[in-house]
Amino acid sequence: MGNRKWSLPRFNNPWWKPWAIWGEITAGLKALKDKGIEGNMVGDGFTQGGVLVIGPGKQGVTCAHFEEGDADIGMPVDEIVAGVEKFSF
């Protein structure tokens, strides 16, 4: 071993520094507030996203798909294409 000093390894990963993560979060929220962007913190937090196919004019929504659960399952491409094919120009 010699005369080496024993020390803990340096952790540069931010997960080891929760105060650094909190600083990044608050800085991001402040930047959004400064730009006048407000968030909606109510509703279903588990809905990941989805697709709305909206026709031109007053045709309205021809296809709607909302992701629930596992986002890796994918989008229903056939339903989306069928929604686009319903458009009339």
Side-chain angles (χ1 to χ4, degrees):
M1 293 290 252
N3 59 359
R4 291 186 298 171
K5 292 182 181 179
W6 184 85
S7 65
L8 292 172
R10 300 186 98 185
F11 295 108
N12 293 324
N13 189 333
W15 293 109
W16 289 98
K17 299 183 253 182
W19 59 90
I21 295 170
W22 181 251
E24 290 181 24
I25 291 171
T26 55
L29 292 173
K30 182 182 180 316
L32 290 173
K33 186 176 180 181
D34 291 345
K35 292 181 180 180
I37 299 172
E38 296 181 12
N40 178 358
M41 299 299 175
V42 296
D44 182 7
F46 293 108
T47 301
Q48 301 295 315
V51 174
L52 286 176
V53 180
I54 303 172
K58 295 185 179 183
Q59 294 181 42
V61 177
T62 59
C63 175
H65 171 74
F66 301 99
E67 289 181 359
E68 295 180 13
D70 190 4
D72 292 333
I73 292 173
M75 296 287 177
V77 177
D78 296 335
E79 291 179 31
I80 295 170
V81 171
V84 173
E85 289 174 344
K86 291 180 185 177
F87 291 172
S88 61
F89 296 98

